Each structure stands twice: as C-alpha cells, then as structure tokens.
Amino acid sequence: MTNNTDYHQFIDNDEGWVDRRIFWEEEIYEQELKQIFAKSWQFIAHDSMIPNANDFYTTYMGEDGVIGARQKDGNVRVFLNSCPHRGNKFCFADEGNARSFICNYHGWSFGIDGKLGALANEHVYDEGDIDKEKWSPKQARVETYKGLIFATFDQDAPSLDEWLGDFRWYLDMMFDNDGETEFIDGGIKSYVNANWKFGVENFVGDAYHALWNHDSGLKAMNKGEGFGPAVTENSYHASINGHGWEFGTDGYADVVIGGSEKWLNYVRDIIKPKIKEKYGELRSNIFGSLASVSLFPNISFLPGIQTFRVWLPRGPKKLELRVFTIVNKNMPEEIKQEINNACMMTFNPAGVLEMDDGENWEGNTQVNKGYLTRQEKLHYGCGITREIEHEELPGIIYKGQFNDANQRHFYTRWADLMNADSWNDVPTRYRPRHTKNN
C-alpha cells in the first residue's frame, strides 16, 4: 500500500463484492489503527460500570490502552494507559476504585484525572527538568448518549450526536424504552483468531446466516423448533454513517430465542406499551423482533436478547471480544436474571449460538493465508437492487432483512474514513431527517 491508496478499490457496491485483503494485510490494518480507531468515537464503558467517584475501567481504543475514570464532579475522563517515562502501563487492573495510579517501573504516579503527580525519588530531578502538565498522558474527548460513554482522541471529529446522526431514532428503542439502562455485573472477555470486522459485520446485517448456522442450536433450546424459512416481507436493513440495524417487525422473535416466558411476558406487557407510547407503533413492533445491530466501528447488540459486545482489534488476524448483558435499571431482579441467563446460554464464549459464529469467523480469516485465495473477491450482492424510501424509517433503507445492504454500507464508511485527510473529506451518504447536516 502507498499513501495514495484509494481504499474504495477494495469494495464495489455496484457489483457487490469486497476484497479479502482487507481482512489479512498488515499494512491495511495499520491504516485502520490510524484512520479509524485514532479518529472515531468508540465505546468506553456504560455509566453503570463506573457509577462512583474514583471508579475506573480499562479498555482499548484500537490497540491504544485507555482508562475511563469517574471524577469527583461526576464527569468521566479517558486517557492513555501508558506512563510517559518509559511507556509501561500504569494500571493493570480491569476495573476498580482508586485515588491514583502508580507505574511499576519507576514509581511515577498519576491522579484519577490522568495527570502526572509525584515521582519516586523526585529529588533527583532538577528544577525545570520536567513539566508535569506537559508530560501527563494524552486525554481524549468524552461524550455520552443514554448511559453509553464514548471517547475519541481526534479533536476535530464531529460531535457524538453528529457521529450517531439519525441512528439515534433506532437507538432510543434499546436505551430509552423505560428509563435508564445498566450492565449486569460481570462482563466476559474472550479471544477469537479472526479479523475484527467479521464480528461487526455479522451483527450489522447478517440475518441470513442465522437460519442455517444457528438452526440446530435453536432446535436444541426450543423443543426441536428451528428458524424455518426466510421471510422477507415487512423487514428491513437501515444504515446511517456505517451504523446498521437489520430487523423484522414481528415483535418477538429475538425475545423467544432466549427461552424465558417471564421475559416474553414482560416485553409484551411493560416494554412494548412504553415504546408505543413514547415512539409509536412501528418502533414498538421492531423491538424484540429478529434483529441485530452494530455501531461503527466496533460495538454490537441484540435488542430482545440483550447481549452487548465490543470487538477490540488485536492485529488483522485476532480480536478480543468483551460481552455484557444490558437491562433496564427499573426491571425486577427476577427479570434481569432471566435475561442474563438467556444471554449466557446463547451469546457468550460457551453459548449455544456464539460457538457457531466464532468458528466461522476464524475460518473466514485464516483461509486468507493462501496467496491465491486472498486474490479472490467475497460476494456481497444480496438485495443489491432493493433500496427504497420509507415514510418513517430514517437512513439508507433496503427492504428484506436477508440482505447484504448494511454490510456494503459499513464497508463504504470504512473506505471513506480510510481515505480521508480531514473530516471534510468524509461524505454524508444518507438524507438526515432528525439531524442537522453540517
């Protein structure tokens, strides 16, 4: 690759293909770290994970380790987890509560705000040797949406509201259907020998795989009844800024997959009437239907099943997956546990459905060791002529949730950012209805 590489050469939305090299080549991956992960808004934590002053959670933005920490004033700061002296991490814990952090190597300390504090044997430094403000770890911009904490290191990036755009119309079904949400304690971390994009694209639009890949798993949980044939009527793909939500309007398919009658009744009697009252009948019908969602670049969730996951890149051939269960804060504890049990049974590393996916994503990636294999294209042409205008649904809409539309638009956004020298070079590819187009 060169500095003049046009990354749109790796996708073709007219013919419907994606170049396999984007899942394998080291140079492309390094460009992703620079052009996507160093610039995009990325999920750091949920408010419920760090509710109190001095609470912190460690994660990654791309491969840059960061700490998200709740301050005494209630705000959250996000900063690099790397000592500016010799570079070691100064926090190795996944989460906790602390007034400060101390680097193991030379004893440099950092406040919960990320600022450099006292140095061990500080007397060996002469006056003027070090400006602590200047040598504090790099700080990110932080904004929140409905309990989700996001950060970016790009000071010129658009606001989080602009980044999400009209996709907020869809997000409110999940994150504001009956008050505040929370993560159940105890997230799960696992690793898959696969390119990070395969996980994201699976959730951004791939309902098609479920009918074959997960059918036996569903039968095992559902008294021998599987998914049945694909039904394309009254279902859609919606894409906005690379974010995607594929969905039916049956109202209950994803809820039923969890196998909990108590959760099903709660959705029917409590959640859906609330959504209908706040947002209208269409969104009430969408929530809980067969659906999957990804936010660009690397978070996904399943409304109705309630799994929430983050796909952290670990090179072009490996990802770290962090999985959580999201619930409404005001739900009875019994319902929360019903949801959590269903998530553990289906979508966790040992889950009946998750194991199917991980094996396939690894196969999708590792086959590209072959030189001739990775010269071949991958087909993304399903539903390529089905784009429509919809009177209620915002974004780029395609009819039929068994479709590659959201995947195509995810990779279009990927190429737009990979090419961009500035945010002015990143086009808005949909007609905003609810967001001012700057």
Side-chain angles (χ1 to χ4, degrees):
M1 308 301 153
T2 69
N3 291 336
N4 297 321
T5 299
D6 179 2
Y7 286 87
H8 282 285
Q9 71 178 291
F10 297 105
I11 60 173
D12 191 313
N13 284 347
D14 294 325
E15 295 187 7
W17 55 256
V18 170
D19 193 308
R20 295 170 185 248
R21 289 177 292 172
I22 72 171
F23 304 107
W24 189 261
E25 301 288 354
E26 190 73 38
E27 291 178 79
I28 293 177
Y29 176 72
E30 288 298 323
Q31 188 75 354
E32 289 178 339
L33 295 180
K34 175 185 175 184
Q35 292 293 107
I36 293 177
F37 290 100
K39 297 182 178 181
S40 297
W41 285 99
Q42 290 151 81
F43 175 77
I44 301 299
H46 190 281
D47 273 335
S48 60
M49 299 168 69
I50 48 172
N52 304 311
N54 299 336
D55 283 350
F56 68 88
Y57 179 75
T58 59
T59 185
Y60 291 85
M61 297 171 69
E63 296 218 40
D64 291 302
V66 297
I67 300 172
R70 183 76 63 182
Q71 307 299 298
K72 291 181 179 179
D73 63 5
N75 290 320
V76 174
R77 285 181 177 265
V78 174
F79 44 88
L80 288 178
N81 185 11
S82 174
C83 180
H85 185 220
R86 292 298 183 270
N88 196 16
K89 284 183 178 182
F90 52 83
C91 180
F92 286 86
D94 288 338
E95 58 189 324
N97 184 282
R99 290 179 296 176
S100 63
F101 307 100
I102 301 177
C103 180
N104 291 342
Y105 197 7
H106 294 92
W108 284 25
S109 67
F110 304 86
I112 197 68
D113 58 0
K115 294 184 177 180
L116 179 60
L119 314 181
N121 294 298
E122 192 165 340
H123 62 276
V124 304
Y125 285 82
D126 296 330
E127 185 175 352
D129 278 357
I130 184 168
D131 180 338
K132 291 182 179 179
E133 189 71 29
K134 176 182 177 181
W135 285 97
S136 293
K138 187 178 183 66
Q139 299 265 344
R141 289 170 58 192
V142 179
E143 295 185 25
T144 64
Y145 189 77
K146 303 293 174 75
L148 305 178
I149 302 166
F150 291 85
T152 177
F153 281 107
D154 190 343
Q155 298 304 311
D156 297 323
S159 68
L160 178 61
D161 280 350
E162 291 175 273
W163 177 260
L164 297 174
D166 281 2
F167 208 68
R168 293 171 295 172
W169 186 92
Y170 298 95
L171 292 176
D172 289 348
M173 283 184 277
M174 181 74 170
F175 299 102
D176 192 13
N177 59 46
D178 187 20
E180 296 180 3
T181 59
E182 65 182 5
F183 281 4
I184 290 179
D185 289 343
I188 297 174
K189 185 189 302 182
S190 63
Y191 297 87
V192 184
N193 292 319
N195 187 276
W196 66 274
K197 296 186 289 298
F198 278 126
V200 182
E201 72 144 70
N202 180 273
F203 280 73
V204 85
D206 192 351
Y208 181 52
H209 83 287
L211 307 187
W212 179 265
N213 187 46
H214 295 317
D215 192 55
S216 61
L218 182 60
K219 286 177 179 176
M221 297 185 295
N222 197 31
K223 300 177 181 178
E225 185 175 345
F227 282 97
V231 177
T232 59
E233 291 79 15
N234 301 314
S235 65
Y236 305 91
H237 270 214
S239 179
I240 294 171
N241 295 342
H243 319 308
W245 195 306
E246 60 84 10
F247 57 93
T249 53
D250 62 90
Y252 293 98
D254 268 0
V255 179
V256 169
I257 287 173
S260 168
E261 187 174 351
K262 291 178 181 178
W263 171 227
L264 176 63
N265 292 338
Y266 192 88
V267 170
R268 183 193 63 211
D269 298 337
I270 305 296
I271 300 295
K272 284 188 174 291
K274 294 278 189 180
I275 297 177
K276 185 175 181 180
E277 180 183 359
K278 292 181 74 170
Y279 304 122
E281 185 171 5
L282 177 58
R283 280 187 274 187
S284 177
N285 290 337
I286 293 171
F287 181 85
S289 300
L290 184 65
S292 59
V293 186
S294 287
L295 283 174
F296 190 95
N298 66 327
I299 64 174
S300 304
F301 57 88
L302 296 178
I305 294 177
Q306 305 301 106
T307 183
F308 184 104
R309 61 254 329 278
V310 187
W311 316 91
L312 299 173
R314 291 290 171 267
K317 307 170 186 71
K318 186 175 182 178
L319 65 87
E320 178 183 321
L321 177 59
R322 298 194 180 186
V323 179
F324 308 91
T325 301
I326 186 167
V327 296
N328 289 347
K329 189 176 289 188
N330 64 3
M331 285 176 176
E333 286 301 316
E334 180 184 31
I335 298 298
K336 292 179 183 179
Q337 286 309 311
E338 288 282 311
I339 295 169
N340 196 38
N341 290 342
C343 281
M344 296 304 100
M345 181 174 64
T346 55
F347 286 97
N348 82 85
V352 174
L353 305 182
E354 183 99 343
M355 289 188 290
D356 297 333
D357 288 330
E359 182 179 14
N360 284 313
W361 300 331
E362 288 191 349
N364 295 349
T365 302
Q366 299 305 319
V367 71
N368 293 303
K369 287 180 180 178
Y371 173 79
L372 292 177
T373 299
R374 65 177 180 268
Q375 308 312 308
E376 297 293 301
K377 306 296 190 289
L378 296 174
H379 185 269
Y380 282 76
C382 184
I384 203 165
T385 63
R386 295 191 211 143
E387 186 174 359
I388 62 170
E389 288 288 330
H390 193 282
E391 60 182 4
E392 289 188 69
L393 299 173
I396 303 171
I397 307 300
Y398 282 70
K399 62 181 180 180
Q401 71 183 120
F402 301 99
N403 207 314
D404 287 332
N406 281 356
Q407 295 94 310
R408 290 190 296 269
H409 289 288
F410 171 83
Y411 289 116
T412 298
R413 181 69 164 184
W414 174 88
D416 286 342
L417 287 174
M418 291 285 277
N419 280 345
D421 292 325
S422 74
W423 286 99
N424 291 330
D425 298 327
V426 181
T428 299
R429 294 187 179 272
Y430 77 103
R431 179 174 58 84
R433 299 185 189 183
H434 308 290
T435 306
K436 179 183 284 189
N437 184 8
N438 293 332

